[in-house]
Amino acid sequence: MQDDSLQQIMACLAPENQKSIEQLGAEFALKRRQLLLFQHPLSTLYYFGACAISSAWNGLKWSTHHPVMLWCIIPLIAAYAAVKPSGFAEPFVSEAEAWFQYVVWWVGLGVLSSVGLGAGMHSGLLFLFPHMLKVCLAAEKCGNLDFDVRNDMWNSSEGMFCNTSVHGTITFWDILTKVSPTAILWGAGTALGEIPPYAFSYHAAKAGKQKEELEKMFGMQSSDAHNGLVGSIVMHMKNWMLDFIKRHGFMGILLLAAWPNAAFDLCGICCGHFLMPFWDFFGATFIGKALLKANGQAAFFVALFRKETRDVIMHWVQWALPTSIPGLSLQQTPAQLLHSFVTNRIQSFQDGVDKRAAARGLIRRCWTALQAGNQQGHGWGLRPRACGDL
């Protein structure tokens, strides 16, 4: 360890030199603590920029010399650049492009969801769960699962398109199997987004940083009297997480990652501080988030969005909830009100998807008609009937 080597070197120095080095270290530590954005903005931004540029350059050098880059990614890019302009194997290339966009889109959304140290974009609520609803509605509308879920990505706000008119029986497990790959990709992205907190903490620990910064961050040094009730509860939860990780290791990380845990960033910081091997941390995080949590969320929302299972759930809710609420005069029972609310929200979402799809189809027909008119010599100024009320 670097700390042991440094202590051996310090032991070989004269006492006055040791004292000078300790004073210099204390002076530098004081300057680092005073380097705050609002007190010294220019200096803070300067050092931040220097560190960011240095890290980006080192990361670029590492990635360009990595075997995966040299023997896999670069040959694939070269093959794509050679095949794409020639039009050779165009169906295969188009299919590969669609799959690449699909993977990048959902993995990227997963990264955005977890990379913000607790302040990431709620891409599950904004994109993943509406995607599952679109799949359930398309299955009910088409009567089969012969549609491409890759239509719902990037700038597309349309629903799924039925490819055949053959109707059959679609079970809960059929729909869950249809949305599971998307959920797994999104979950894999959330696992990747947990790497930065782990990496920062790991390298800080490898560099021999004092652990009092970690203790200060987790609130271990402050008393309950200064934290208040909420602060005390949060501090005890953090300390419990630290102890849980130290006692259970891989399985502890897996269990913490397998449910919607907003404080999981702290788990990554702790694992880095304890110098847990990367593949132990990432493997447990990937299994918990991509395989367990994402599929569990998919099962819940498919059951809620699919009409048959939703009716069963609402029947259970009606059995569990009281038929009336004291002090309120309701024309329907609480369970019936909840059922109506969920059904109306799903119908409203479906209406919005249909309107956007109709508008986009009208724009596409109008553009096609304008192109045809220009090729026939009518010019771009005449608006054809296909444009309707646009």
Side-chain angles (χ1 to χ4, degrees):
M1 291 294 294
Q2 296 182 0
D3 286 348
D4 297 335
S5 301
L6 183 60
Q7 291 177 0
Q8 293 176 2
I9 295 174
M10 289 284 291
C12 298
L13 299 176
E16 57 272 14
N17 293 334
Q18 294 182 16
K19 185 175 181 181
S20 299
I21 293 176
E22 291 175 355
Q23 291 176 350
L24 186 62
E27 182 181 348
F28 285 157
L30 178 61
K31 288 183 178 180
R32 285 196 300 269
R33 285 195 293 268
Q34 293 176 346
L35 193 63
L36 302 174
L37 180 61
F38 292 106
Q39 294 184 6
H40 304 283
L42 295 180
S43 298
T44 304
L45 292 175
Y46 170 78
Y47 288 115
F48 170 78
C51 290
I53 293 173
S54 176
S55 300
W57 176 247
N58 291 333
L60 180 63
K61 290 193 297 184
W62 175 84
S63 61
T64 53
H65 291 82
H66 196 276
V68 175
M69 174 66 74
L70 295 175
W71 301 106
C72 183
I73 297 178
I74 292 179
L76 285 175
I77 294 175
Y80 176 78
V83 171
K84 179 66 175 177
S86 66
F88 176 75
E90 185 175 352
F92 175 79
V93 173
S94 300
E95 188 71 9
E97 288 177 341
W99 279 111
F100 178 77
Q101 294 176 5
Y102 170 73
V103 171
V104 170
W105 172 248
W106 288 111
V107 172
L109 286 177
V111 172
L112 290 176
S113 176
S114 61
V115 78
L117 287 172
M121 183 176 72
H122 299 290
S123 58
L125 187 63
L126 294 173
F127 296 97
L128 180 64
F129 305 149
H131 170 81
M132 295 177 181
L133 176 55
K134 289 181 181 180
V135 173
C136 293
L137 293 174
E140 293 179 6
K141 179 181 179 181
C142 301
N144 57 70
L145 295 176
D146 187 19
F147 52 84
D148 195 350
V149 296
R150 296 175 302 178
N151 291 330
D152 183 31
M153 60 180 183
W154 297 96
N155 63 338
S156 174
S157 59
E158 303 178 13
M160 312 296 176
F161 299 101
C162 304
N163 293 325
T164 62
S165 59
V166 179
H167 288 252
T169 302
I170 303 174
T171 66
F172 166 83
W173 298 107
D174 293 333
I175 300 179
L176 181 60
T177 304
K178 191 76 171 179
V179 302
S180 182
T182 303
I184 291 175
L185 288 174
W186 180 83
T190 63
L192 290 172
E194 302 295 348
I195 293 178
Y198 164 84
F200 293 151
S201 181
Y202 182 90
H203 289 293
K206 289 282 286 186
K209 298 285 185 182
Q210 297 295 328
K211 70 174 183 177
E212 75 177 57
E213 293 184 3
L214 185 77
E215 293 178 350
K216 181 179 179 181
M217 179 182 64
F218 279 97
M220 298 178 203
Q221 296 176 334
S222 57
S223 61
D224 294 350
H226 295 88
N227 287 333
L229 178 60
V230 177
S232 177
I233 294 174
V234 172
M235 186 190 73
H236 284 296
M237 289 176 61
K238 293 174 180 177
N239 293 337
W240 173 85
M241 184 183 297
L242 279 170
D243 182 66
F244 189 79
I245 294 171
K246 285 192 289 187
R247 284 190 291 112
H248 299 287
F250 182 93
M251 289 302 301
I253 302 298
L254 191 151
L255 292 174
L256 289 172
W259 58 283
N261 185 358
F264 191 81
D265 291 321
L266 303 178
C267 180
I269 294 173
C270 295
C271 293
H273 179 74
F274 296 143
L275 299 179
M276 175 180 283
F278 171 77
W279 287 111
D280 288 353
F281 167 75
F282 183 73
T285 304
F286 178 85
I287 294 172
K289 285 182 171 287
L291 302 183
L292 299 181
K293 188 188 77 170
N295 281 302
Q297 290 175 320
F300 171 79
F301 282 104
V302 168
L304 181 63
F305 295 149
R306 181 174 173 267
K307 186 177 184 304
E308 290 80 1
T309 49
R310 182 170 67 248
D311 292 339
V312 174
I313 292 174
M314 291 304 169
H315 178 74
W316 291 345
V317 171
Q318 186 172 4
W319 173 80
L321 291 180
T323 57
S324 63
I325 299 177
L328 294 178
S329 58
L330 301 176
Q331 297 180 351
Q332 295 178 310
T333 64
Q336 291 173 338
L337 290 174
L338 179 62
H339 193 181
S340 300
F341 173 78
V342 173
T343 303
N344 291 336
R345 296 305 302 169
I346 291 176
Q347 185 60 46
S348 176
F349 180 85
Q350 177 63 39
D351 293 341
V353 171
D354 292 340
K355 289 180 181 178
R356 289 190 292 271
R360 180 160 297 194
L362 181 60
I363 294 173
R364 190 180 294 114
R365 292 194 301 272
C366 179
W367 177 250
T368 302
L370 286 172
Q371 286 180 317
N374 182 61
Q375 292 175 357
Q376 295 173 4
H378 298 302
W380 294 94
L382 296 177
R383 189 177 71 175
R385 295 180 179 179
C387 295
D389 296 329
L390 279 179

